[in-house]
Amino acid sequence: MSLPRALILGCAGTELSAEERAFFRDADPLGFILFARNIGTVESTRRLVDDLRSCVARGEAPVLIDQEGGRVARLRPPLWRKAPPARLLGDLYARDPDAGLEATRLNSRLLAADVAGIGCDVDCLPVLDIAFPETHAVIGDRAYADRPEPVAALGRAAAEGLMAEGVLPVIKHIPGHGRATVDSHEALPRVTASRAELERTDFVPFKLLSDLPWAMTGHLLFEAIDPKDCITVSAGSVQSVIRAHIGFDGLLLSDDLSMQALGGSLGERAARALAAGCDIALHCNGRMAEMVEIAGHTGQMTERAHRRFQDGRSFLARHRDPAGARGLADAARRVAELLPEWG
């Protein structure tokens, strides 16, 4: 059986060009990811998603989106709901854990309904990074809390809400981005904490949610684990931390290859990420020349990666429990009651 290429790619705009259609057909990436530049109306965005899947002739090709709420939301008012940032949910949890979990779970149902409404079936949520005093603003209020246990509890609730409405969650940024003091879009963060400290804190939420089917790496260098290479391209780090210590055996995506935390050419970045143990290389900006270079350095998914992908589909199917239109309306009212300060 011919397997898709171990890639998830973006596209340039709200419609596919003839060049993009031909490239995606020939490259046959596993799936795609949408950004704000791709979002038009509900109908046009749904048409774009359908066209992307048509290019690779696979109705099951995953189409991802970052719909976290707060600052990171590709679907925005007035066509879509304005969702709260993770920190606001974490603050509610600190006052009332049951209310915080309920709000988080219901909020994620609503996020999933918006995501599924345009045909996307994967939301890059929950963020399991811990907020430390030094945490860079690129994470900021995307983090639920400053301790691992509430982060894990709220992350679990968020994942459950997404899956109930038929959307796969992606835990990120494994094994933890909270100690980064620079933006990995711009430079490589270096973390100096000891491995023992990391295992007591940063890694804990990922370990507690390691049964979930998809994860995305963080582009960070952990000096206590690999003093030379960023975790995304470090085979030793992927194996000893993500697969062994954390125990994650699901589909592992790299974070965006075009981020400046990674050195070398884009083709080299893709090849190194896959060689290190990432199942899928992610490239987001939709620039054709970059995608062509990356495709030239990546091959088909491995059989193990394909099994992980299929296992994720099965996992999702077991957790689906859609609320229906009335249930979603009730969820929106309840979230408003629980978070009166939002909106």
Side-chain angles (χ1 to χ4, degrees):
M1 177 179 66
S2 178
L3 297 177
R5 196 177 298 268
L7 278 177
I8 288 173
L9 298 172
C11 59
T14 57
E15 297 180 357
L16 294 181
S17 67
E19 183 183 22
E20 285 174 321
R21 290 176 188 273
F23 170 72
F24 291 144
R25 181 194 64 229
D26 294 341
D28 191 27
L30 171 66
F32 303 92
I33 186 166
L34 299 188
F35 279 77
R37 66 179 183 272
N38 307 124
I39 307 303
T41 65
V42 175
E43 294 77 14
S44 70
T45 309
R46 179 70 191 234
R47 193 160 51 245
L48 173 63
V49 170
D50 290 344
D51 285 348
L52 287 166
R53 291 190 172 116
S54 178
C55 288
V56 295
R58 279 182 286 106
E60 78 280 7
V63 180
L64 289 61
I65 194 167
D66 290 287
Q67 191 69 6
E68 299 175 11
R71 290 177 292 124
V72 180
R74 314 308 182 198
L75 307 177
R76 292 180 174 270
L79 295 179
W80 291 278
R81 166 179 167 267
K82 182 182 178 185
R87 182 62 57 79
L88 196 61
L89 295 162
D91 290 346
L92 176 60
Y93 179 91
R95 300 192 301 270
D96 183 338
D98 288 341
L101 293 174
E102 182 186 4
T104 301
R105 192 174 293 108
L106 293 175
N107 179 65
S108 283
R109 275 191 180 269
L110 297 166
L111 290 172
D114 284 344
V115 165
I118 59 167
C120 290
D121 55 354
V122 182
D123 191 357
C124 300
L125 178 77
V127 174
L128 299 185
D129 306 321
I130 296 171
F132 293 99
E134 69 269 26
T135 299
H136 191 275
V138 71
I139 298 297
D141 64 1
R142 298 166 67 193
Y144 290 109
D146 59 3
R147 294 183 296 113
E149 293 79 14
V151 169
L154 291 162
R156 174 73 68 184
E160 289 172 350
L162 292 177
M163 292 188 294
E165 296 299 325
V167 172
L168 270 166
V170 182
I171 57 175
K172 64 183 187 184
H173 304 86
I174 197 168
H177 207 295
R179 292 183 190 270
T181 58
V182 299
D183 182 350
S184 53
H185 293 85
E186 306 297 335
L188 175 62
R190 302 182 70 95
V191 175
T192 59
S194 70
R195 177 153 183 164
E197 178 64 16
L198 293 167
E199 290 182 359
R200 283 194 298 269
T201 53
D202 305 53
F203 300 169
V204 170
F206 296 96
K207 191 166 189 175
L208 292 173
L209 273 67
S210 62
D211 60 304
L212 293 179
W214 286 37
M216 180 187 293
T217 65
H219 294 327
L220 297 92
L221 187 150
F222 294 88
E223 293 183 356
I225 297 164
D226 184 336
K228 186 168 77 72
D229 285 325
C230 165
I231 195 139
T232 302
V233 296
S234 169
S237 300
V238 170
Q239 180 54 44
S240 71
V241 176
I242 295 175
R243 297 302 190 189
H245 175 75
I246 289 174
F248 178 74
D249 191 38
L251 193 76
L252 184 63
L253 281 62
S254 76
D255 203 346
D256 183 10
L257 295 174
S258 63
M259 293 165 64
Q260 296 310 304
L262 299 177
S265 70
L266 285 161
E268 291 167 347
R269 296 176 190 183
R272 292 187 69 200
L274 295 172
C278 292
D279 295 305
I280 303 294
L282 175 67
H283 180 264
C284 296
N285 66 29
R287 294 172 185 162
M288 181 57 67
E290 294 186 11
M291 293 192 294
V292 169
E293 179 183 353
I294 288 170
H297 286 76
T298 58
Q300 292 181 345
M301 296 173 67
T302 65
E303 292 285 352
R304 177 176 288 186
H306 189 254
R307 172 186 59 78
R308 288 169 172 154
F309 173 71
Q310 295 294 349
D311 287 349
R313 291 294 193 205
S314 299
F315 190 94
L316 177 63
R318 293 194 299 274
H319 288 80
R320 286 198 66 179
D321 183 22
R326 179 175 294 180
L328 291 171
D330 290 343
R333 284 192 290 271
R334 181 59 176 154
V335 171
E337 291 172 0
L338 292 166
L339 293 173
E341 69 273 35
W342 178 251

